[in-house]
Amino acid sequence: MSASSSIKGATNAIKIVNENLEAGNYTNEHDVKYNENVREMARIWRVMVIADFVDIFGPYALDAFQGVNPHFSSVKDVYYWFFEELKEAQANLHLDVTATDAEKKQDVAYNGNFAMWQKLANSLRLRYAMRLSEVDNAKAKSEFEAAVQTGKLMTAQEDLLGFPTAGGWSNWENVYNRGWNDNVISSSM
């Protein structure tokens, strides 16, 4: 799955949940809270994918995939947006929701454990703060400290984000996991 498809998919998930919430399409408290969690997980996922894009290519259009001609933002502005998105998304997660068995299957990363998504968001805040430290040390320091103060961070091996592998051909794996993709590096490299 390419970065653009992932970002578009996450943006659409956020939009669909918001539209359904506004229309009152969720019939009970569990469905409302669960779908709000889906939106927040999509926000966290979208930040991760955009961060990969920005770290490779530079400026990014934060209004991409929203049906308008996008405008590119500086890398610094995009990182500031990351902090706000992650801070809001982790705070908005309903940790009191227990995902049903069917809902757990929709979350191949953490199997419906929303506390893990919260840890991921805060740990990403640490990572992105470190990346910003030489550009804007004061902002990096304040964001790093704010994430640490939540006390909800990835601190153990089982906290790591991971996806099941299926021989390199599932929707969750990239082309580098596929056996036919011989990525050989010569001795001169």
Side-chain angles (χ1 to χ4, degrees), residues 168-189:
W169 294 99
S170 72
N171 288 335
W172 310 109
E173 298 173 81
N174 65 37
V175 295
Y176 298 109
N177 292 9
R178 297 184 179 146
W180 56 265
N181 196 350
D182 190 14
N183 294 304
V184 179
I185 297 178
S186 69
S187 60
S188 62
M189 290 185 79

Side-chain angles (χ1 to χ4, degrees), residues 148-178:
V148 168
Q149 288 175 354
T150 67
K152 298 169 183 167
L153 300 167
M154 298 167 75
T155 57
Q157 181 75 22
E158 56 271 7
D159 294 343
L160 296 177
L161 177 68
F163 300 104
T165 58
W169 294 99
S170 72
N171 288 335
W172 310 109
E173 298 173 81
N174 65 37
V175 295
Y176 298 109
N177 292 9
R178 297 184 179 146

Side-chain angles (χ1 to χ4, degrees), residues 129-150:
M130 289 187 289
R131 289 183 184 168
L132 191 66
S133 64
E134 292 189 30
V135 176
D136 188 344
N137 193 294
K139 177 71 170 173
K141 184 177 188 296
S142 69
E143 290 295 338
F144 190 96
E145 290 173 351
V148 168
Q149 288 175 354
T150 67

Side-chain angles (χ1 to χ4, degrees), residues 67-162:
V68 297
N69 191 15
H71 299 90
F72 281 81
S73 299
S74 71
V75 172
K76 181 179 174 182
D77 289 344
V78 174
Y79 265 76
Y80 275 45
W81 179 81
F82 291 165
F83 296 129
E84 287 306 309
E85 277 293 283
L86 292 169
K87 182 171 42 176
E88 288 175 15
Q90 67 86 28
N92 291 340
L93 284 166
H94 300 286
L95 302 182
D96 60 333
V97 173
T98 302
T100 66
D101 288 340
E103 291 166 346
K104 287 177 183 179
K105 290 179 184 175
Q106 295 172 357
D107 178 6
V108 297
Y110 290 124
N111 201 33
N113 184 338
F114 305 115
M116 298 302 292
W117 281 94
Q118 189 176 53
K119 286 181 173 186
L120 174 64
N122 287 316
S123 297
L124 289 171
R125 290 168 67 193
L126 296 177
R127 174 186 287 184
Y128 302 147
M130 289 187 289
R131 289 183 184 168
L132 191 66
S133 64
E134 292 189 30
V135 176
D136 188 344
N137 193 294
K139 177 71 170 173
K141 184 177 188 296
S142 69
E143 290 295 338
F144 190 96
E145 290 173 351
V148 168
Q149 288 175 354
T150 67
K152 298 169 183 167
L153 300 167
M154 298 167 75
T155 57
Q157 181 75 22
E158 56 271 7
D159 294 343
L160 296 177
L161 177 68

Side-chain angles (χ1 to χ4, degrees), residues 4-49:
S4 63
S5 333
S6 232
I7 297 166
K8 182 179 179 183
T11 302
N12 285 339
I14 295 163
K15 179 182 173 194
I16 290 167
V17 169
N18 286 338
E19 288 171 352
N20 281 308
L21 285 167
E22 288 172 22
N25 292 339
Y26 303 121
T27 58
N28 60 55
E29 184 180 3
H30 173 84
D31 289 350
V32 169
K33 287 183 171 184
Y34 172 76
N35 282 284
E36 286 175 344
N37 281 354
V38 168
R39 178 188 58 209
E40 304 314 322
M41 292 184 312
R43 289 173 75 185
I44 295 165
W45 180 258
R46 181 174 61 173
V47 166
M48 284 177 41
V49 179

